[in-house]
Structure formats: C-alpha cells, structure tokens
Amino acid sequence: MLAIFALLVVGTTTLAFTASRQTNFLSSRNAVNSIRVRELADSGLDLAKSILRSDTTSWRTNHTNGKLLNNYALDGGTVTVSLIDIAKRDSGASAAASIPTSTTNEVEITVTANRDGATWTSVSNMGIATTTKGQYAIFANKFLKIDGDRNQIGRWLRSPLSSEKRRINIGNQGDLGIGINSGVYIDSDVQFESTVLPIDASDPRTLKSTWIYYAYSGGADVTSNRYPINGPGRDLVSVVRMNSDDVIRMISLPASVAANPAKAPISGFTKDQAVTLVNGTYTFSPFCVGKSTGSQNLNLTTTNCKLKFTAGTYEIYGSWIATGTTIQIEGAVKIIVIPLKKNSGNNNNGIEWTSTTVELLSGADLEVNNAYGLSMNKCWIGSYYHCDTELDSVKATGDPHMKTWNGSPFQMTACDEITPDEPRYLEPWHVRIYSVVIDSKGNSTSQSWTLTDTSVIGSLFLPDNTINIGGKSQLYGRIAADNVYIEGTSRLRYDHALDDIPGLTTGRAPNRGSDPDETFAIRLLRWGPDKGTGP
C-alpha cells in the first residue's frame, strides 16, 4: 500500500510540474508577445507622426476613407492607422463625413498593431496647425531674381526668434507662364544664413538654411534651358518641389473705398484742390484730397514738413509726392492713394517719396493701399524710438539707424555705442504696403514698385506686378509680388514671428523648420491591448 501511494504522489507531482512548466512557458510567451505588439504600436504611431509632419506626403487627401495605412507590414507585424478630423467630428458629423480634407488641422490618430496573434491599440490627438503656419519670406508668382553685389537673405537679428535659427522659406509658383521669365535666379555671391536648426540626419536638405519651393509643373523649359531654380548660386539653397495638388496664390487685394467719401478736406483746402504743404508742422485727422468720383488727379505734395496722422482712414485721389518729410503714425492709420488716371507714358505713381521718414509711435499700426506705381528713394520706415537713459535730449530722440540712414553722422548714446546695422525692433505686421483694387480687373498691371536706398520694416504686396529692391535697401519683413528683383547690395531680413499671423499667400504653407517635437502638439488618449481599455 505504501508503494502504491508513493507512485501516486510521484506521478501527480510530475504532472503538476509539467503543467506548471507549460503554463509558465505560455505566460512568458504571452508577455513577450504583449511587449512586442506594444512596441509595434509605438512604432506605428511614430510612423504616423512622421507622415503627418512631412511637407511632401499630402496626407490630408492621400488616404482611403480615413485610413492612412491599412495592414501595413512593419517590424514583423502589421499596423493600421486611421485618421479622424476632430473639428468635424465634434461638430456632429458622421464618421464617414469626419475623414480629413485639405482644411484639416487637428486629427485623432488610431493605431492598431497586430503581431503573433496579439493586438494593441493606441488613440492620440495631434495638432498640425502649429507647424503649418510658416510663411514665405519672399514669394514670386513668376520670377525671382537675386542678382546684385553680396545681397543678403536671412533672419532679422533683433527679432526675439532669431536665436532659434529656423530656416528661411522662399516660394515661386512659376506655373503661370514657364519660360525665360519664370523661376528663380540666384547670383553666386548671394549670402544666406550659415547655420540652421533643427538638422535631420536623414534629410540633407535640412543642412541648408534656405529652402526654395517651386511648382510641381515648373519643370525645365526645353526652348530656353531654364530650370525652376537657376544661376550659379543655386547650390546654396535646398530646392523643394511642391506636390501636384499644391497651388499657391496671393491673398485677395484690399477692396477699394466706397464712392463719395464723407471725409473732410485738409483745413484750408477744398476737395477740388490739389494740396501743397511746405516747411510746416501739421497734425491730421482723417481727410480726403480730391474725389473718388472725379476724373482729375489732385495730388498731395509735402516738402520739408513734419506730419502726424492720428487714427483713421485717409484718402488721396491723386499722387502723394513727399520730399524731406517726417511722418509720425499714432494709432491705427490707413492711407489710401488712388490716382484717377495715368499720366502720359503710363508712368504714374501713387506714392512718390524722396528722403522721407515714417515713424510709428507706440501701439501704432499703418496700412498703405497704393494704386499704380510706387517710388521710394532714400526713405526709412520703422518705429519711433527714445533712449530713456540718454541725458542729451537731442541724441536720445530717434532711432540711430534712422539718423545715419538719412545721412547724419553717428552719435554714441547710452543705448547705442556703435553704429547700428539694423533698426530697433518693431513687429513687422504693423506696417503693410499693399496694392489696391482700382477697377474690375484689380490693380494696375503696368506699374511696378521701386525701392532704392530705402529701409522698411513691414510687408510689401503687389500681386500683379514687379517689386524692385535696389541700392543699399533693407527690408525687415516679407515680400509677395508677381515678380521680385533684388539688386545692388540690398538685403531682406525675415522675422519668424510672421509665421504665426495671416500670410500673403493661400494654399499650402511651408514648414518653418522648428523642432517637430515642440511644434506638433500630441496627446495620448487610450493605450492598451483592446481598443477602449488601458490607462
């Protein structure tokens, strides 16, 4: 009996040991599978983020009913990535109507990973708008030519964001007439920024500070051998071809003012008179020179004057010819200059300024809507400045950059010990010089804008004609025009703060080049072996 009992004990123990080993083996294998499928789900999410971050994947339209990837083979398993437009879903749209479109800025990403019979699902929200707000420092519909003597295209050093060393974006649609006068030409001695962040080791384009985007249809012209980006300086930039569905165009022009404006004329004049002011100091409230319904140009001419414009809209139905004039802007000011007819030879300018300075007081905002041509020669537009720690009141008043620009010798102050190379910082969106609608066809297509030896903080917008920047001119802001020519020793300094406000173009905005881990907001909602479970 004892022997039989002993055999039973040993047999039972052996079976239990064997079953325990099998259970432990299965548990261990399940644990390994669980770890592997979780890692696969993480890899699938990283892949989805890379696709959504890319400026070349067109993910908003390149999906199948919201599925970005379907049973995609990855790391020994498969992943399925589905996208939902959060804004549409939250507005009550059905699942079928909540798939991403070209306007999607926030998406919910569902990643389902399968490996060795195990399944893991993660659900995350991702914001895209924070990185697609980049803008073009220069955008030319047809032709951009940078061909002078050591032209500089870079960042505004006084800008608070310059230390981040983001790249500079330039755009050229170039599909509005591919040929000898279309594309981008860069001279060999154009100077671009030497450093840029961040750098992606897998993308050699990120080694260069300046990216030039050109249209998908902007291929080589076989008759002229002109390529979209041409010139001996072509290799100084990274060249990016837009996607086939990317069509970049200018924003709409400001609308012309209503007929028969009710504004009063300048004191001492009537609306039927041209206005000439010499050697005077004036403070203006909104006025009107000429009549919008008239047929004759009634010009405003100011010579050696000091003018202050207070908040409101000013209208000039002729040209504004200013020489040696100092203009101060107080509050939100809009100035509309519309010649009612062209002079002989089609050489009429709306703005014609020489040796004229514009200073924006604290909190001021200036928009100039100019029809036909514009000429600025030896002018300066920036902010009013006062050095509070300088005891000499004459030295303390005025931006030293402005003073030396206008020909005065530099005088050291408590705020500036050496001649400043740049003006004092002013957010460049506070100055906008735009073309304006003057007839059913838009603005004049026969008048260009020319800035010579002129420094401007702000934006220049001339969608139907050419902007010429020459001499020693400096622009701290951005340009959008049909054609752009940068010559002489002129330079453009871009402020990346412009990335976060409305731009001068419509369509796909360029990636501004900041750290994607910082600029793409992502929040994990669910993560677990089955959808809807887990922390």
Side-chain angles (χ1 to χ4, degrees):
M1 292 293 293
L2 288 174
I4 294 172
F5 179 75
L7 288 173
L8 289 173
V9 170
V10 171
T12 303
T13 303
T14 301
L15 289 173
F17 175 75
T18 302
S20 174
R21 290 291 301 271
Q22 290 176 339
T23 299
N24 289 338
F25 173 76
L26 290 174
S27 297
S28 176
R29 187 176 69 177
N30 288 341
V32 171
N33 288 348
S34 179
I35 292 171
R36 288 176 175 173
V37 78
R38 279 160 34 190
E39 292 174 345
L40 179 59
D42 290 341
S43 297
L45 180 59
D46 288 340
L47 178 60
K49 289 192 294 184
S50 297
I51 294 173
L52 268 62
R53 289 173 177 174
S54 173
D55 60 357
T56 62
T57 57
S58 298
W59 61 266
R60 289 175 174 84
T61 54
N62 192 16
H63 58 77
T64 302
N65 296 324
K67 284 190 176 181
L68 189 64
L69 300 172
N70 190 15
N71 290 324
Y72 180 79
L74 180 69
D75 295 343
T78 62
V79 294
T80 296
V81 177
S82 300
L83 305 178
I84 291 177
D85 186 310
I86 294 175
K88 292 180 180 178
R89 182 198 61 193
D90 291 349
S91 67
S94 65
S98 297
I99 62 175
T101 61
S102 60
T103 60
T104 298
N105 286 325
E106 287 188 299
V107 292
E108 185 172 280
I109 310 167
T110 299
V111 178
T112 302
N114 291 279
R115 180 170 179 171
D116 298 329
T119 301
W120 199 275
T121 298
S122 70
V123 181
S124 306
N125 285 354
M126 186 170 182
I128 310 298
T130 53
T131 196
T132 58
K133 288 183 180 178
Q135 303 294 341
Y136 296 104
I138 306 172
F139 186 87
N141 252 351
K142 293 180 181 175
F143 191 44
L144 166 63
K145 186 176 184 181
I146 309 175
D147 183 17
D149 183 14
R150 299 184 306 280
N151 300 126
Q152 297 179 8
I153 308 296
R155 310 177 192 101
W156 187 0
L157 297 181
R158 287 187 183 268
S159 165
L161 294 179
S162 66
S163 61
E164 296 186 5
K165 300 186 183 301
R166 299 177 184 174
R167 65 172 170 261
I168 305 297
N169 291 310
I170 295 173
N172 173 246
Q173 187 61 27
D175 62 351
L176 302 180
I178 297 298
I180 192 66
N181 292 319
S182 181
V184 177
Y185 178 89
I186 303 174
D187 196 13
S188 59
D189 62 355
V190 178
Q191 298 176 9
F192 298 100
E193 296 289 352
S194 59
T195 58
V196 63
L197 294 174
I199 294 176
D200 182 353
S202 65
D203 188 350
R205 299 177 304 176
T206 63
L207 298 175
K208 296 181 180 179
S209 68
T210 305
W211 287 26
I212 299 183
Y213 291 75
Y214 74 95
Y216 184 84
S217 59
D221 185 317
V222 295
T223 61
S224 65
N225 293 322
R226 178 170 294 281
Y227 291 83
I229 315 299
N230 202 2
R234 181 182 188 275
D235 293 336
L236 300 175
V237 300
S238 292
V239 179
V240 183
R241 187 178 189 179
M242 296 179 189
N243 297 318
S244 58
D245 55 349
D246 283 330
V247 178
I248 315 300
R249 292 289 183 260
M250 307 289 186
I251 61 173
S252 299
L253 286 167
S256 57
V257 296
N260 299 314
K263 293 178 179 61
I266 294 176
S267 178
F269 297 87
T270 70
K271 290 184 181 180
D272 295 320
Q273 291 179 292
V275 176
T276 299
L277 305 174
V278 181
N279 298 326
T281 300
Y282 304 87
T283 297
F284 293 129
S285 297
F287 62 66
C288 180
V289 174
K291 298 178 181 178
S292 63
T293 56
S295 59
Q296 180 180 1
N297 291 336
L298 296 175
N299 298 335
L300 170 63
T301 303
T302 58
T303 305
N304 298 328
C305 292
K306 293 182 178 180
L307 313 176
K308 177 182 283 189
F309 286 74
T310 58
T313 299
Y314 299 77
E315 299 165 20
I316 302 168
Y317 294 97
S319 299
W320 183 0
I321 303 167
T323 304
T325 297
T326 298
I327 303 165
Q328 286 192 340
I329 304 298
E330 182 179 74
V333 171
K334 185 174 184 178
I335 300 174
I336 301 170
V337 184
I338 303 179
L340 298 177
K341 64 177 183 179
K342 301 176 186 178
N343 293 330
S344 59
N346 290 335
N347 61 351
N348 200 52
N349 287 327
I351 297 286
E352 191 167 319
W353 291 354
T354 303
S355 301
T356 290
T357 296
V358 179
E359 296 176 295
L360 274 70
L361 301 175
S362 178
D365 185 89
L366 173 63
E367 179 174 321
V368 177
N369 294 165
N370 177 73
Y372 295 114
L374 176 146
S375 173
M376 291 186 182
N377 185 21
K378 299 180 180 178
C379 296
W380 189 93
I381 300 177
S383 64
Y384 172 83
Y385 179 71
H386 185 274
C387 178
D388 294 334
T389 57
E390 174 58 52
L391 299 179
D392 187 325
S393 60
V394 175
K395 290 183 179 180
T397 303
D399 187 333
H401 181 270
M402 177 265 292
K403 293 179 180 179
T404 57
W405 194 268
N406 290 337
S408 300
F410 172 71
Q411 292 182 302
M412 185 175 66
T413 70
C415 299
D416 292 274
E417 295 183 355
I418 60 174
T419 305
D421 186 52
E422 297 181 337
R424 290 284 169 173
Y425 183 69
L426 169 70
E427 295 91 343
W429 55 84
H430 287 300
V431 179
R432 302 173 300 281
I433 304 177
Y434 289 178
S435 182
V436 64
V437 173
I438 57 175
D439 54 37
S440 60
K441 297 179 181 179
N443 71 318
S444 170
T445 57
S446 61
Q447 301 294 307
S448 62
W449 292 1
T450 301
L451 280 68
T452 307
D453 296 336
T454 291
S455 176
V456 175
I457 297 174
S459 298
L460 304 180
F461 180 64
L462 182 61
D464 290 335
N465 215 298
T466 300
I467 292 180
N468 301 283
I469 310 292
K472 63 173 185 177
S473 293
Q474 301 175 0
L475 178 67
Y476 299 88
R478 58 188 172 187
I479 302 174
D482 197 37
N483 302 290
V484 178
Y485 294 88
I486 299 177
E487 301 170 328
T489 58
S490 300
R491 69 189 190 192
L492 183 143
R493 298 295 194 196
Y494 184 70
D495 177 9
H496 279 88
L498 287 165
D499 288 348
D500 293 322
I501 66 170
L504 300 178
T505 58
T506 61
R508 202 263 319 265
N511 186 302
R512 58 188 171 188
S514 47
D515 187 346
D517 290 330
E518 296 179 0
T519 58
F520 284 89
I522 187 163
R523 182 166 63 95
L524 186 64
L525 300 180
R526 296 191 299 270
W527 186 72
D530 295 303
K531 186 175 182 181
T533 65

